[in-house]
Amino acid sequence: MTTAAPHLGQGGPELASLVEAVSATRMQATVRELAGDRFAGRRVGSPGGRAAGTWLAERLDVLGARVQVSEFDVAGVRELHATPVLQWTGAGQTHRLEHRRDFVEHLASAELPHPRSAPLVKAPEAGSAGTGLRERWVLAEAANWGRACEPAEAQGAAGVLTVRGADAEGWMPKMIAGPPARAVPVIAVHPDVHRRLAEALDDGPVQVTGSMPLRQITTRGRNVYARFGSRQAVSRVLLCAHYDGVGDDPDRRLPAAADNASGVAAVLEAARVLAAAAPAGALELTVAFLDAEEAGAWGSAHHAPTVPPGTHVINLDGAAHLHQAAAVEAGGPAHALLAALDQAARLTGVPLRAGAMASDNRRYAAAGLAAIGVGMGMPGYQTPAETPDRVQPDTLVAAARLLVATVWLLAPSVTSAP
């Protein structure tokens, strides 16, 4: 159940009316749609990702916007083309491990499309090249996996096992962008699995069987832009959110409801409310639904150089669970924008805090624009647990209200409250 913002009357009756027009029901429907099966996790360049972009363009067109789609190349996207395998045998007992619970793809891994069985050995000590790694799986600590890869590659090892943590619910999140690939397969295992392997190896021989059908591809991204108002407006504001996700696994859904269907839903709702009421001639509002953020913020890198100077940019990445305060990162000449956001937050009752927002806002700031990134939580981040039911309606409402109020306060014909 949503609640009224405590200080809306101080912003004037027009702003109070606008903010109250925000609909949680509409935003929840958007989240459910984008996280649904037909968009398959919305990875850049995938059929589901492209279909999601088309769907969003249609939604913006219904709002009366001038809609444009812009495509661009995206390189180095990691793609799992089959489910990886990992199991180990020690003391006569075989342990079959579950992908994304017990182990995950390491983004520096060479492709290993078919299972390879070999004995397990510990990585050489620091400063030692080691010997006897040929056709062996090498067990490395998190801090020295890169160093362990060097002798493993030189000696023709079967692969390297290293360690990576899990979230509070035991999932190991998925990513699709990372360091350059090594010349040897690399698999990241849960800390508990890594510990058990080390202990088993101390007690006797251990045999490991693993595959990592992970390849790098070049694909096409698709940004969706919508413009409301006149290009002759005194004030320009860009609201943006990335709509891509990391994509489904071959045998498991990753709905990407929080990251970032929630942010898209709030931006779309804010655009709906503002498009119907923005002061004529005072404001040009642009919406950008960006692709390929998960692959390295390619969509914003493509868009940022084309944005007119003087545009205020607000990027929303995550609007699913406002725990204590929204994280805010400002970049570029953002003093006026930050002041408007702060006033809007006080009027709508949304607490703010300074926090790192490593998202598309940084591309716009690097282009010399006033840019702010806002985040309101991502429960289940990049795991199968990132489902629509975990996106809180009150957080969606808080995000959309904050955007509406900030844009309204930036329009020059609006008189700011004292």
Side-chain angles (χ1 to χ4, degrees):
M1 181 176 181
T2 59
T3 57
H7 306 298
L8 281 174
Q10 299 177 22
E14 297 88 354
L15 178 56
S17 177
L18 279 180
V19 170
E20 292 297 338
V22 165
S23 167
T25 300
R26 287 176 181 271
M27 290 185 283
Q28 287 178 289
T30 297
V31 171
R32 287 194 298 269
E33 185 70 27
L34 288 173
D37 291 350
R38 73 179 177 123
F39 295 141
R42 309 188 307 277
R43 198 209 71 205
V44 57
S46 68
R50 296 181 70 83
T54 299
W55 185 82
L56 287 168
E58 292 168 351
R59 302 286 78 71
L60 290 165
D61 183 69
V62 168
L63 298 181
R66 292 171 288 283
V67 180
Q68 176 188 359
V69 174
S70 180
E71 297 198 352
F72 51 93
D73 290 329
V74 182
V77 178
R78 272 60 167 187
E79 178 182 68
L80 274 175
H81 55 90
T83 301
V85 170
L86 188 63
Q87 64 181 46
W88 64 279
T89 302
Q93 186 173 2
T94 297
H95 307 267
R96 293 176 176 82
L97 305 181
E98 182 182 353
H99 180 233
R100 216 155 294 290
R101 284 290 195 184
D102 301 314
F103 74 101
V104 290
E105 58 279 8
H106 193 291
L107 296 176
S109 181
E111 184 178 11
L112 180 61
H114 305 296
R116 178 181 295 170
S117 296
L120 181 68
V121 296
K122 290 187 178 180
E125 296 290 334
S128 169
T131 59
L133 302 186
R134 182 172 180 78
E135 292 302 321
R136 299 288 190 272
W137 284 98
V138 180
L139 185 65
E141 299 293 337
N144 70 349
W145 73 268
R147 187 170 62 245
C149 284
E150 295 174 5
E153 291 166 339
Q155 298 180 40
V160 172
L161 302 182
T162 185
V163 62
R164 201 177 105 193
D167 67 11
E169 298 173 345
W171 291 106
M172 301 178 75
K174 179 177 182 176
M175 294 177 284
I176 60 172
R182 305 292 311 218
V184 66
V186 184
I187 299 176
V189 301
H190 191 283
D192 290 344
V193 173
H194 191 275
R195 175 184 51 78
R196 291 168 61 198
L197 285 169
E199 292 172 352
L201 197 54
D202 287 338
D203 293 337
V206 173
Q207 187 82 2
V208 169
T209 299
S211 71
M212 187 46 62
L214 181 73
R215 60 193 174 201
Q216 292 193 41
I217 64 169
T218 295
T219 187
R220 295 280 285 174
R222 175 183 288 183
N223 287 345
V224 180
Y225 311 132
R227 182 163 57 88
F228 304 86
S230 169
R231 287 193 180 276
Q232 307 306 314
V234 177
S235 180
R236 293 189 177 95
V237 181
L238 167 64
L239 299 180
C240 56
H242 77 89
Y243 70 89
D244 63 303
V246 293
D248 288 351
D249 283 343
D251 63 346
R252 200 190 297 270
R253 289 288 341 270
L254 283 90
D259 183 20
N260 187 32
S262 64
V264 170
V267 168
L268 185 63
E269 179 64 3
R272 181 190 72 84
V273 171
L274 288 163
L283 174 70
E284 179 192 89
L285 173 65
T286 303
V287 170
F289 289 134
L290 302 165
D291 203 356
E293 191 271 350
E294 302 293 359
W298 290 72
S300 50
H302 173 72
H303 184 224
T306 72
V307 177
T311 301
H312 298 291
V313 182
I314 307 174
N315 177 60
L316 181 60
D317 197 348
H321 184 183
L322 182 58
H323 176 52
Q324 292 180 329
V328 175
E329 178 181 303
H335 298 293
L337 175 57
L338 196 57
L341 182 77
D342 181 67
Q343 184 180 2
R346 287 185 281 109
L347 291 173
T348 57
V350 178
L352 304 180
R353 65 172 175 83
M357 283 297 300
S359 185
D360 290 304
N361 45 285
R362 294 185 176 179
R363 297 288 196 182
Y364 294 103
L369 299 165
I372 285 178
V374 179
M376 296 188 182
M378 298 178 181
Y381 176 69
Q382 294 182 349
T383 74
E386 194 185 335
T387 50
D389 61 289
R390 303 189 69 184
V391 177
Q392 298 180 342
D394 283 358
T395 300
L396 289 171
V397 169
R401 284 177 168 177
L402 181 65
L403 295 177
V404 168
T406 303
V407 173
W408 189 256
L409 292 170
L410 287 167
S413 64
V414 175
T415 300
S416 298

